[in-house]
Amino acid sequence: MSYWLQVVVAVPAHSSIAGPLTYKSELPLTVGSLVRVPLGKREVLGVVWEILPDSGALLEMQTRHVAGVLEGLPPLSATWRKLVQFTAGYYQRSLGEVALAALPPQLRDLSSVQLARRLKRPVADTSHTPTTTNLIALSQEQTLAIAQFDADSRPALLFGATGSGKTEVYLRAAARVLEQDPTAQVLVMVPEINLTPQLQSRFEERFAHLGKERVVALHSGLTPAQRLKSWLAAHAGHARLVLGTRMAVFASMPNLRLLVVDEEHDPSYKQQEGARYSARDLAVYRAKIETEDTTHDHGPCRVLLGSATPSLESWQATLAGRYQRLTMSERVAANDGERGSLPTVRRVDMNHQPKHSVIAPPLLDAIAQRVARGEQSLIFLNRRGYAPVLACHDCGWKSECPHCSAYRVFHKIDRTLRCHHCGFTERVPRACPACGNIDIAPVGRGTERLEEHLAELLAGVKRPDGEPPRIARIDADTTRLKGALESQLASVHAGEVDVLVGTQMIAKGHDFRHITLVAAINPDGALFSSDFRAPERLFSLLMQAGGRAGRDARHSGVSEMWVQTFHPTHPLFEALKKHDYPGFAAQQLAEREAAGMSPFGFSALVRAEARAQDVAQGFLNAAAAQAEAQQLTGHGQVTAYPAVPMTIQRVANIERAQMLVESPSRAALQRFLAAWQPTLFETRQQAEFKSLIRWAIDVDPIAI
Ligand SMILES: [Zn+2]
Ligand SMILES: [Zn+2]
């Protein structure tokens, strides 16, 4: 007797195979089983999605057999499959692509023997040490937040200032869930891989009493073998707590009871290729379906989002009552029992500073005082390299990238011009390539030049021990080698650095106890950006950067956040000065509501790439005209705007265009996109668009 199965496999995004494929099997398999199936000449990993009734003799002749089953592996749960199905539908990708991307790649290559060995549970751990960790006393706000979270089943947004002790709340919420149910599992997500090690050791220490290997990590920085091991531990239910980045939202966890999303506003929760999902949004959805799951008896699955500067989407959800809000506005006590306070914000009006000054005299003075007292300063500039452009003042030549519509950045350390978009790198020419003038000069300033400049400016200043100040830089260039970031951060922690220069990389999450001054050198760009989310990102970055200062109560009286700006009275800086996120959010939400933008309206971007800009734009416009002709836009509920070139129009000789699609209704937008997909595929086949390289839909884009 044969059984017919629908199996999902990974297929290229735009292949003609979109849905599951039919295979037959001599064994009755369960839905959710992992199988190996033939696809063309290859054998690929697949997930059994559905069992079909007998399909008759004709089909039997064409249908190929399942090649093998990954034995010993419990099937993927119904809620896992539902999460994958939802993701594929909502983000307009194929089921197979989403399903297989959510599984560890190494699963594909394992033989049954290897798998059986991997599945062998770790030796039963008899050394169950009782909790010996001395739990610190919670602050009043923490106690209240936990009580509120327990009492209300809605998704929760923990709105907690930097240093208010959000991690301790996550730990307590997780501990509660793990203690109440000996099989319960918890997923904790963080935005950055480099934040996982410190958090992982904190969670491991707290939950050491649960036994060995109960806390595992899941992120793209792991080796394939480590990732497989963590995944199997989660899937088998052995791992009680999974700590991971956005990909972890798809971890197979049969008894998931709590999801925590730390720094929920962080843009890195949005996947930027393939299925462009938001792991934060999926976490909320997953908690809902895990709770609704009736296949076995269990308590609800909760979701806890946390941030000092929540995304405006989550904030609006608390205002509308869909999420509950837990507020912690005070910093918790440091070791000496004294509470740190938020830094004083100082705005430097650059209109009144000497022309061309990079660091205004009052800021320089404040940094020099810190050096003399043996305190640390963090100077932050969101542009790496020495100078963004190299130019000839005789003929006007500039260091354009020949392959992109962007300038190549001058890196002085190895005397190269590097394109940050396509990577094209050349030695700096000795003379102007256009006119031969030998006097070509850097224009503008990146972190490398700022570091050099600061060394000159602080040359006469002495540390308390009489030595000159030690200046260091942390950005993508200094941290390219594995382990470099960790060792550089360690030297900052050890007090071996007086002035730290860096990009936004240093603004996130690192707990620098001895920093008493944080300065943003040139944050104005985001105030007038065409991207409506730019102010939100800037505010959050500055609040986060400011949060690095004064975490140690000994210093908090003198800690300061400096902002150099030509627009000191801008409402964003007014709100920053008062540490007033709710005020900032109210103003931004009013603007967005008036303009019908997220979270009051819904949008998707369709991007197209071709050798010629008119092909990319032409494809998008033709597909939109077709949608109009087919009346897909539903009586004006959905608006598709004309295609435009992307901000950086050409990268690596590829022209890029995008089309914005908007609707006041999420459901209408979803209906439109689903109905429009076949039209996009058909338009792609037309002769005039043969040279199109690729196109993709980005639902709920985070940058426009
Ligand atoms: Zn020239
Ligand atoms: Zn380039």
Side-chain angles (χ1 to χ4, degrees):
M1 154 124 199
S2 292
Y3 299 86
W4 275 266
L5 315 169
Q6 293 278 71
V7 177
V8 301
V9 296
V11 289
H14 292 170
S15 95
S16 52
I17 325 164
L21 303 174
T22 307
Y23 290 92
K24 63 182 177 187
S25 158
E26 301 309 315
L27 295 167
L29 291 173
T30 326
V31 173
S33 299
L34 282 151
V35 290
R36 269 185 287 269
V37 292
L39 181 72
K41 291 194 174 92
R42 295 178 302 147
E43 201 174 281
V44 297
L45 187 66
V47 181
V48 176
W49 215 256
E50 216 180 309
I51 314 283
L52 294 175
D54 192 323
S55 304
L58 183 69
L59 195 59
E60 179 159 17
M61 291 173 63
Q62 298 168 341
T63 307
R64 301 170 77 177
H65 271 96
V66 166
V69 183
L70 273 72
E71 279 166 54
L73 207 59
L76 293 154
S77 71
T79 50
W80 186 89
R81 281 178 281 119
K82 197 168 176 180
L83 176 68
V84 164
Q85 188 115 33
F86 172 81
T87 305
Y90 188 83
Y91 295 101
Q92 309 292 324
R93 305 295 290 198
S94 82
L95 193 54
E97 182 192 7
V98 176
L100 276 297
L103 298 170
Q106 254 209 347
L107 213 47
R108 226 175 20 215
D109 314 317
L110 286 186
S111 71
S112 296
V113 180
Q114 284 169 318
L115 185 62
R117 201 168 53 222
R118 303 270 181 164
L119 283 171
K120 235 180 18 197
R121 291 192 158 222
V123 188
D125 187 7
T126 48
S127 62
H128 277 217
T129 43
T131 323
T132 49
T133 336
N134 278 329
L135 293 182
I136 50 160
L138 293 178
S139 73
Q140 217 170 7
E141 286 187 327
Q142 285 172 320
T143 310
L144 191 64
I146 292 165
Q148 244 181 296
F149 179 68
D150 285 345
D152 187 332
S153 65
R154 287 175 295 169
L157 174 66
L158 177 58
F159 171 49
T162 45
S164 63
K166 289 191 287 292
T167 307
E168 188 59 34
V169 174
Y170 305 151
L171 282 159
R172 299 290 175 111
R176 187 79 59 94
V177 167
L178 297 176
E179 277 155 25
Q180 274 169 0
D181 173 353
T183 63
Q185 293 176 296
V186 173
L187 173 61
V188 178
M189 288 199 284
V190 291
E192 305 265 338
I193 295 171
N194 62 44
L195 296 181
T196 54
Q198 20 177 316
L199 211 54
Q200 190 177 353
S201 49
R202 205 165 154 191
F203 276 88
E204 274 170 353
E205 195 183 317
R206 185 67 62 91
F207 298 114
H209 61 283
L210 295 175
K212 266 187 201 153
E213 292 171 11
R214 297 294 191 167
V215 176
V216 302
L218 208 50
H219 55 73
S220 59
L222 301 176
T223 65
Q226 286 168 329
R227 190 173 153 191
L228 177 67
K229 191 177 173 200
S230 293
W231 187 88
L232 286 173
H235 180 61
H238 179 74
R240 304 287 308 282
L241 192 139
V242 174
L243 187 67
T245 51
R246 63 171 179 265
M247 59 151 40
V249 77
F250 291 109
S252 167
M253 298 173 76
N255 203 12
L256 182 59
R257 298 276 68 91
L258 171 68
L259 293 112
V260 174
V261 184
D262 189 24
E263 308 291 355
E264 65 90 32
H265 65 279
D266 198 291
S268 59
Y269 282 119
K270 184 83 157 67
Q271 167 78 11
Q272 291 300 333
E273 55 191 30
R276 290 166 166 80
Y277 63 86
S278 157
R280 177 203 55 226
D281 295 351
L282 288 182
V284 175
Y285 175 79
R286 186 168 182 181
K288 178 176 168 286
I289 59 171
E290 297 280 1
T291 299
E292 289 166 357
D293 172 37
T294 51
T295 54
H296 61 292
D297 204 24
H298 54 64
C301 178
R302 303 293 313 278
V303 63
L304 175 58
L305 315 176
S307 177
T309 52
S311 64
L312 290 170
E313 283 76 9
S314 298
W315 188 254
Q316 176 59 25
T318 68
L319 296 174
R322 283 182 287 118
Y323 296 179
Q324 59 170 319
R325 187 194 304 165
L326 318 171
T327 304
M328 301 197 306
S329 52
E330 287 179 353
R331 289 187 160 189
V332 291
N335 295 338
D336 56 5
E338 267 185 72
R339 207 170 269 164
S341 61
L342 292 167
T344 306
V345 175
R346 296 195 187 283
R347 290 164 290 184
V348 185
D349 185 348
M350 295 305 277
N351 297 297
H352 298 141
Q353 299 302 322
K355 269 219 160 11
H356 306 301
S357 59
V358 177
I359 302 214
L363 172 56
L364 182 64
D365 193 42
I367 298 170
Q369 286 177 26
R370 298 295 189 294
V371 172
R373 289 205 298 263
E375 296 168 12
Q376 293 176 307
S377 300
L378 190 162
I379 317 297
F380 144 76
L381 175 66
N382 225 1
R383 178 176 261 162
R384 65 193 170 87
Y386 188 81
V389 188
L390 202 61
C392 167
H393 293 295
D394 268 10
C395 74
W397 173 86
K398 284 183 175 147
S399 57
E400 274 166 4
C401 174
H403 311 297
C404 304
S405 48
Y407 293 117
R408 279 175 297 163
V409 175
F410 173 41
H411 289 258
K412 192 177 179 185
I413 194 157
D414 54 2
R415 300 209 59 85
T416 56
L417 289 176
R418 276 188 235 158
C419 175
H420 288 185
H421 300 282
C422 73
F424 181 67
T425 302
E426 271 183 340
R427 295 278 300 167
V428 169
R430 282 176 197 286
C432 171
C435 74
N437 171 23
I438 53 164
D439 203 14
I440 46 177
V443 179
R445 212 161 287 267
T447 45
E448 197 185 334
R449 192 176 190 182
L450 184 61
E451 180 189 16
E452 183 185 280
H453 189 57
L454 267 166
E456 289 162 10
L457 293 174
L458 295 171
V461 181
K462 296 266 183 292
R463 296 172 20 85
D465 58 10
E467 295 295 313
R470 298 154 307 178
I471 300 169
R473 171 167 58 97
I474 295 185
D475 57 29
D477 295 317
T478 68
T479 53
R480 208 150 274 161
L481 298 173
K482 198 171 162 64
L485 177 63
E486 290 73 13
S487 71
Q488 288 170 29
L489 290 174
S491 78
V492 179
H493 284 293
E496 293 159 13
V497 172
D498 302 304
V499 181
L500 177 64
V501 177
T503 52
Q504 62 173 6
M505 191 180 248
I506 51 176
K508 290 187 182 180
H510 307 291
D511 195 356
F512 297 127
R513 291 247 157 221
H514 306 296
I515 284 182
T516 60
L517 182 146
V518 172
I521 296 304
N522 183 16
D524 280 351
L527 298 177
F528 308 101
S529 166
S530 59
D531 184 344
F532 74 95
R533 286 184 208 270
E536 179 185 358
R537 281 197 296 268
L538 176 63
F539 188 83
S540 137
L541 194 60
L542 293 178
M543 286 283 280
Q544 224 169 354
R548 301 302 116 222
R551 299 195 78 156
D552 194 327
R554 275 178 302 159
H555 299 305
S556 61
V558 290
S559 76
E560 292 174 351
M561 158 104 208
W562 289 65
V563 177
Q564 297 194 141
T565 173
F566 287 96
H567 308 276
T569 57
H570 192 284
L572 188 149
F573 295 131
E574 297 284 352
L576 183 73
K577 183 165 177 57
K578 290 182 275 185
H579 304 282
D580 181 16
Y581 171 81
F584 169 75
Q587 168 234 322
Q588 284 287 308
L589 285 171
E591 274 179 30
R592 292 204 192 170
E593 187 164 24
M597 290 182 299
S598 177
F600 303 98
F602 303 91
S603 66
L605 281 176
V606 192
R607 299 200 177 93
E609 297 182 0
R611 291 282 171 204
Q613 181 64 222
D614 60 341
V615 172
Q617 285 189 35
F619 162 74
L620 295 171
N621 289 331
Q626 196 58 35
E628 196 65 47
Q630 294 167 335
Q631 295 185 316
L632 299 181
T633 48
H635 310 291
Q637 272 198 53
V638 176
T639 311
Y641 293 93
V644 293
M646 285 177 63
T647 315
I648 297 176
Q649 177 177 334
R650 186 168 50 102
V651 168
N653 292 321
I654 291 172
E655 291 284 338
R656 315 184 309 160
Q658 66 182 26
M659 173 175 277
L660 177 64
V661 184
E662 273 184 351
S663 175
S665 152
R666 194 193 289 270
L669 180 65
Q670 280 289 312
R671 274 196 304 276
F672 170 76
L673 292 174
W676 194 29
Q677 278 248 26
T679 309
L680 282 156
F681 280 109
E682 278 162 31
T683 310
R684 171 80 174 84
Q685 298 310 315
Q686 292 172 18
E688 56 192 307
F689 304 123
K690 277 277 186 267
S691 64
L692 194 79
I693 295 165
R694 63 178 77 86
W695 63 273
I697 299 178
D698 186 353
V699 182
D700 304 335
I702 53 163
I704 291 181

